[in-house]
Amino acid sequence: MATQPAGTSQEHGGLRLAGEADPDLAGEGAGEGQPTAGVGPYRLALRRLRRNHVALAFGVIFLLVVAVSAAAPLYSRYIAHTGPNDNHITETITVSGHSENVVSTTGIPIGPTWHSRFFFGADQNGRDVAVRLLYGGRASLEIGLLAAVITTVLATIVGTTAGYFRGAVDGILARVMDVIWAYPPLLLGIALGTSLALGGLKFGPLTIRGNSLFIPALIIGFVYVPWVGKPIRGQVLSLREREFIDAARTQGMGHVRIMTSEVLPNLGSTIVVFIPLIIANAILLEAALSFLGAGVQPPNPSWGTMIGEGLQLLTAAPHLVLVPGLTLVLAVVGINVFGDGVRDALDPRAQVRLQH
Amino acid sequence: MGRFAVRRVASMVLVLFAITVLTFLIFQKIPNGDPALRLAGRTASPENIASVRHTWGLDRPIWDQYLITMQKVFTGSVISYTQRINVIDQIRRGLPATVSLAVGAGVIWLFWGIVLGMVSAVKAGRFSDRALAVLSLTGISTPVFVVGAILLYVLAFLLPIFPNGGYVPITQDPFQWFWHLVLPWLTLSVLFIGFYSRVLRSTMLDTMGDDYVRTARAKGLSERRVLVRHVLRTSLIPIVSLWGLDFAAVIGGGAIITETVFNLQGVGQYAAQSIQSLDVPPVLVIVMFAAFAVVLLAALIDILYAYLDPRIRLSG
């Protein structure tokens, strides 16, 4: 999962980073179990992160929201006994002794009952808000995480290629990123969302239906590419002038090999710092797009669509906005504070900063 | 300097051209949105549709259509599909509300971003810094429509202090204009205040370690003077350039959600309404002008930087 940035898989990259002038030597000198002498930067960062209890606590909050949302089908089947799109508009339920309409005759849905059925109340169509909240969370988080993966992969490829080859390749790729970057993300997202959500996307033999979650994920992933790709390109531009790249070139390594095994490991900490930030922004952009009707398509729930639909009944039934709104804020604050901790841990200067 | 400016402007023109093409293509692809069908009405005969298609130039090759569209955009004669009114007039009508929103919110978020960023930098590592960090991260993490909805619910419904959305022109009643805009200004500022204070904090902390700051302290300047005249002044450069870009985006319709939540009838809300009715021309024009505003300001800022800092124009 993307929220585990300094995991074991990157440890080797970390060791290589420690002795980048001569990667093989560093790799041999500092084995896994060795004491402090050969501790890689990622391991150091992990230690620093472990001491930052606030960041860890907020990271746990985010993981809890993810876990609870992932359990949506269980909640729906065993506790609420209803699906996310099931209408109960004409039904009545018994709350603490007396029966009440799920949706009153004037069209006002019932508020939170704090019981297994309609725990967070109903919406104007008599659907269970708690069930929709969990399913909506699943959609929002899936889109956020998927978009973060798309942005990270595309931005790394584009940024590295542009910075490494410079010249005409860079001219074109950097210009393309400039064009995408020039649009306010929300407006570009809306433009693409309106265009694709209605008709779906045909990509060779591959067809993605308009109401698929892949569409918003693709759009959001695409929109944020320049925001990450431009800094990566800048870093690669300076990395490629370093001695160890010359050394690799004299050894006869090909371009692709140099990019993947020499340049990429050195981008690790930048990418790791960006990942939580992209996830947070992707979740927010998804909510905004769905709120405006250019993201997840109704009747499918997402936090953004729920808030958008609830806004019309804000004064009579504030729970329709507050329940998904506060959950969304909780999840995004969680990943943002955690991401801040990751950055402090990976950026050595952050230590210096805190001593002021 | 002149050469740098010429190169920067040339690349800007290229990007602007690419923006017009990309925006046109995105909206060209809109399905179920065949403009001829929409223009001709529900009960049109095939001949009718064909004639509409011809008079609006929709049967021409795509590059021809692109040229026609751009010509219309720049001469200000774009007509919307659904209401058949001039799009530029409509944007001009929404502009006062959007500009009022952007200017007020821009002042608020710049001021509070600088104040909170300075406090966090001076108190770095202490409790107030950490509290401000969580607070500004919460601001960054809260979507505009959640802030707006909560403010509306609490300050316009539970305690009816402020009006429930809407816009009053300043020429009509300056006080009502102000009163209607207080909540939208606050809503739009929250995100930016959080973001700017974080940026300013880190640039200020970076600057504090610089040699010239040590020199300033060594020659006996008061801490206050060092902070304001030396540290803050340099650290403000990235903030002001960010402010320029964000301000341009808001003017170009980027405050689409704030305008929708508070029903301000500005440019952004016009874009949102046009999207819902799949009315392509207004969205095309607004999206394009928003991107234009950002690109123009970015180029202006780059040239200004190069003017201020010779290292940039000589290396680039």
Side-chain angles (χ1 to χ4, degrees):
Chain A
M1 173 147 284
T3 48
Q4 213 177 38
T8 44
S9 64
Q10 267 134 353
E11 218 91 293
H12 293 289
L15 288 173
R16 162 137 334 136
L17 227 155
E20 54 198 16
D22 195 345
D24 294 314
L25 213 151
E28 279 163 27
E32 282 284 319
Q34 294 275 12
T36 46
V39 176
Y42 284 103
R43 178 152 290 193
L44 270 176
L46 198 61
R47 279 188 200 161
R48 276 189 222 123
L49 186 61
R50 243 185 242 142
R51 281 199 297 268
N52 189 345
H53 297 295
V54 176
L56 287 183
F58 276 89
V60 168
I61 291 179
F62 177 72
L63 287 183
L64 275 179
V65 178
V66 172
V68 171
S69 301
L74 296 177
Y75 180 85
S76 154
R77 180 178 302 167
Y78 296 110
I79 300 178
H81 304 291
T82 178
N85 296 332
D86 295 344
N87 285 347
H88 302 280
I89 196 159
T90 53
E91 292 173 28
T92 56
I93 55 163
T94 322
V95 186
S96 51
H98 48 89
S99 80
E100 266 185 63
N101 288 329
V102 172
V103 178
S104 77
T105 43
T106 49
I108 310 298
I110 192 170
T113 62
W114 313 116
H115 287 77
S116 63
R117 294 199 64 205
F118 299 105
F119 183 82
F120 282 134
D123 70 3
Q124 50 268 64
N125 291 322
R127 296 174 295 194
D128 190 319
V129 170
V131 175
R132 282 177 74 73
L133 179 77
L134 297 191
Y135 273 99
R138 239 161 70 127
S140 299
L141 294 167
E142 271 170 16
I143 292 172
L145 295 177
L146 196 60
V149 172
I150 294 173
T151 305
T152 311
V153 172
L154 280 182
T156 308
I157 293 175
V158 173
T160 311
T161 315
Y164 181 82
F165 286 111
R166 299 191 305 190
V169 178
D170 181 33
I172 294 169
L173 290 178
R175 222 41 81 226
V176 169
M177 286 201 280
D178 275 348
V179 170
I180 301 169
W181 174 86
Y183 292 92
L186 185 58
L187 277 184
L188 181 58
I190 289 171
L192 288 169
T194 333
S195 166
L196 297 177
L198 289 160
L201 186 64
K202 277 204 188 67
F203 198 74
L206 203 73
T207 310
I208 305 175
R209 270 180 308 133
N211 58 5
S212 157
L213 292 186
F214 277 109
I215 300 265
L218 267 178
I219 292 171
I220 295 164
F222 173 77
V223 166
Y224 281 125
V225 166
W227 299 79
V228 183
K230 282 168 79 154
I232 287 184
R233 169 184 166 269
Q235 216 182 339
V236 174
L237 273 177
S238 75
L239 271 176
R240 76 184 300 284
E241 305 300 334
R242 300 271 286 273
E243 293 85 352
F244 69 97
I245 302 284
D246 288 337
R249 209 168 284 141
T250 27
Q251 282 177 349
M253 279 195 192
H255 293 310
V256 176
R257 177 95 191 279
I258 294 179
M259 279 193 276
T260 51
S261 66
E262 302 294 320
V263 176
L264 198 58
N266 286 294
L267 297 173
S269 60
T270 308
I271 295 173
V272 168
V273 166
F274 264 119
I275 285 176
L277 204 69
I278 311 170
I279 295 176
N281 278 298
I283 295 174
L284 286 176
L285 185 56
E286 182 280 322
L289 288 179
S290 303
F291 174 83
L292 290 169
V296 173
Q297 296 302 306
N300 292 333
S302 95
W303 290 334
T305 53
M306 290 174 73
I307 297 169
E309 288 165 10
L311 203 60
Q312 293 143 8
L313 279 179
L314 180 67
T315 48
H319 68 278
L320 294 181
V321 171
L322 289 182
V323 169
L326 294 181
T327 316
L328 171 64
V329 174
L330 199 66
V332 180
V333 171
I335 187 83
N336 258 336
V337 176
F338 177 75
D340 213 47
V342 171
R343 202 191 53 211
D344 279 349
L346 269 172
D347 184 357
R349 275 187 311 181
Q351 280 262 314
V352 180
R353 281 182 206 156
L354 281 181
Q355 282 161 4
H356 272 276
Chain B
M1 186 64 221
R3 267 183 62 200
F4 178 87
V6 168
R7 250 201 339 240
R8 192 63 187 78
V9 169
S11 99
M12 180 190 84
V13 170
L14 249 168
V15 170
L16 289 182
F17 171 71
I19 284 171
T20 61
V21 175
L22 181 63
T23 316
F24 178 76
L25 284 180
I26 290 173
F27 288 107
Q28 195 63 34
K29 229 204 82 65
I30 284 204
N32 321 335
D34 184 354
L37 288 179
R38 305 173 56 77
L39 283 164
R42 279 182 199 286
T43 53
S45 62
E47 296 81 36
N48 221 331
I49 293 171
S51 90
V52 166
R53 191 163 280 153
H54 184 73
T55 47
W56 286 70
L58 297 167
D59 51 353
R60 311 263 189 96
I62 191 159
W63 56 84
D64 240 18
Q65 286 192 46
Y66 167 78
L67 288 178
I68 295 171
T69 310
M70 286 310 132
Q71 196 195 359
K72 278 190 193 155
V73 169
F74 288 105
T75 53
S77 55
V78 191
I79 306 293
S80 71
Y81 289 158
T82 41
Q83 292 174 300
R84 300 215 185 176
I85 39 179
N86 189 305
V87 172
I88 309 285
D89 283 349
Q90 208 48 24
I91 291 176
R92 212 171 277 149
R93 207 161 294 150
L95 218 47
T98 302
V99 172
S100 306
L101 175 67
V103 171
V107 170
I108 294 176
W109 90 60
L110 188 62
F111 178 77
W112 285 107
I114 290 175
V115 168
L116 296 185
M118 255 179 86
V119 171
S120 323
V122 173
K123 304 270 176 193
R126 307 241 193 96
F127 176 77
S128 48
D129 173 42
R130 285 170 197 225
L132 278 177
V134 172
L135 207 67
S136 53
L137 281 170
T138 311
I140 294 172
S141 310
T142 312
V144 170
F145 45 86
V146 175
V147 181
I150 292 175
L151 285 182
L152 266 181
Y153 185 67
V154 177
L155 293 178
F157 175 70
L158 288 184
L159 310 163
I161 303 170
F162 294 102
N164 182 15
Y167 173 76
V168 177
I170 190 169
T171 47
Q172 193 182 316
D173 185 344
F175 177 75
Q176 283 301 322
W177 169 83
F178 178 83
W179 208 236
H180 277 78
L181 280 167
V182 171
L183 292 185
W185 282 337
L186 290 179
T187 304
L188 187 57
S189 308
V190 166
L191 164 94
F192 290 116
I193 292 175
F195 186 60
Y196 281 38
S197 66
R198 301 294 292 166
V199 173
L200 184 65
R201 175 187 181 274
S202 70
T203 41
M204 272 186 79
L205 288 177
D206 274 352
T207 319
M208 278 180 190
D210 282 356
D211 290 339
Y212 75 93
V213 175
R214 199 184 318 134
T215 311
R217 282 209 182 98
K219 70 181 183 191
L221 289 187
S222 69
E223 188 60 28
R224 189 194 175 88
R225 210 176 159 84
V226 172
L227 273 180
V228 175
R229 293 291 287 273
H230 289 76
V231 178
L232 183 64
R233 223 170 138 183
T234 334
S235 312
L236 277 183
I237 295 174
I239 295 288
V240 170
S241 68
L242 263 181
W243 189 86
L245 294 180
D246 288 331
F247 186 76
V250 171
I251 291 276
I256 191 166
I257 292 183
T258 312
E259 289 185 10
T260 309
V261 170
F262 289 98
N263 190 26
L264 292 180
Q265 307 288 349
V267 179
Q269 196 178 5
Y270 182 43
Q273 284 163 348
S274 307
I275 285 164
Q276 265 146 23
S277 56
L278 278 183
D279 197 346
V280 176
V283 190
L284 178 97
V285 175
I286 292 171
V287 169
M288 223 171 72
F289 279 147
F292 265 44
V294 172
V295 172
L296 281 173
L297 261 158
L300 203 69
I301 288 165
D302 274 3
I303 292 172
L304 208 67
Y305 265 19
Y307 174 70
L308 294 173
D309 185 350
R311 283 174 303 182
I312 296 173
R313 61 174 182 260
L314 294 178
S315 72

